[in-house]
């Protein structure tokens, strides 16, 4: 069953290229890659922020770390709405996770797909990103219950941490 075995036989995998939104690996792989990330910090391009994301990007560009940088679409960038408050349940079937990046929240506001009323105090939606994410999860539960998905399967039933 999905989720009981590590993807890619435990080889460290970043599911949104070099963006650390969803990653998996065995304990040994996490230990190995954490050292690689730390060692990559001095090699981050000048002018870039010293961060885990840019260290992973350095490893990805060097292409010799043994890390799988998944180029697929398993992590959705932002809300899975196809219209205001209408979840794209078909697309959700192949998604492992949703990454609510600031840029995608801004894009949802600009395209009219942000699930909350935009306010003067939060014109880009980022201050209330958690609240908007909760609304999205509630919409997902209500609209896609019959379409249990991979990683998002747990969202079909509220938990104490999300309810």
């Amino acid at each position: 069953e999905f989720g009981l075995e590590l993807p890619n036989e435990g080889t460290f995998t970043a599911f949104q290229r070099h963006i650390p939104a969803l990653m998996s690996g065995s304990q040994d792989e996490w230990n190995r890659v954490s050292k690689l990330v730390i060692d990559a910090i001095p090699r981050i391009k000048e002018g870039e922020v010293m961060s885990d994301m840019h260290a992973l990007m350095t490893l990805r560009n060097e292409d010799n770390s043994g890390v799988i940088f998944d180029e697929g679409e398993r992590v959705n960038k932002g809300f899975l709405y196809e219209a205001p408050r209408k979840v794209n349940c078909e697309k959700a079937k192949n998604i492992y996770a949703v990454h609510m990046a600031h840029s995608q929240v801004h894009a949802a506001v600009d395209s009219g797909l942000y699930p909350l009323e935009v306010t003067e105090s939060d014109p880009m939606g980022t201050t209330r990103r958690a609240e908007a994410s909760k609304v999205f999860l509630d919409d997902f539960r209500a609209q896609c219950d019959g379409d249990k998905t991979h990683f998002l399967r747990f969202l079909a039933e509220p938990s104490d941490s999300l309810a």
Side-chain angles (χ1 to χ4, degrees), residues 27-106:
Q27 178 179 352
D28 288 343
E29 281 290 277
W30 274 95
N31 289 334
R32 180 183 74 81
V33 174
S34 65
K35 291 174 186 168
L36 290 174
V37 167
I38 290 168
D39 291 344
I41 291 171
R43 300 191 309 275
I44 293 173
K45 289 183 181 177
E46 189 173 329
E48 296 284 355
V49 174
M50 299 291 181
S51 69
D52 54 350
M53 182 179 80
H54 287 112
L56 285 166
M57 183 170 31
T58 298
L59 294 175
R60 179 176 169 232
N61 291 341
E62 292 171 352
D63 196 26
N64 63 2
S65 64
V67 172
I68 297 171
F69 292 100
D70 193 316
E71 300 288 334
E73 296 296 320
R74 295 298 187 177
V75 177
N76 192 74
K77 300 170 192 114
F79 300 97
L80 270 164
Y81 289 126
E82 58 189 6
R85 302 287 305 275
K86 170 110 176 69
V87 178
N88 185 336
C89 297
E90 185 63 30
K91 185 175 181 183
K93 288 181 180 180
N94 296 313
I95 299 298
Y96 290 175
V98 176
H99 178 199
M100 296 297 183
H102 284 86
S103 62
Q104 296 304 315
V105 173
H106 295 176

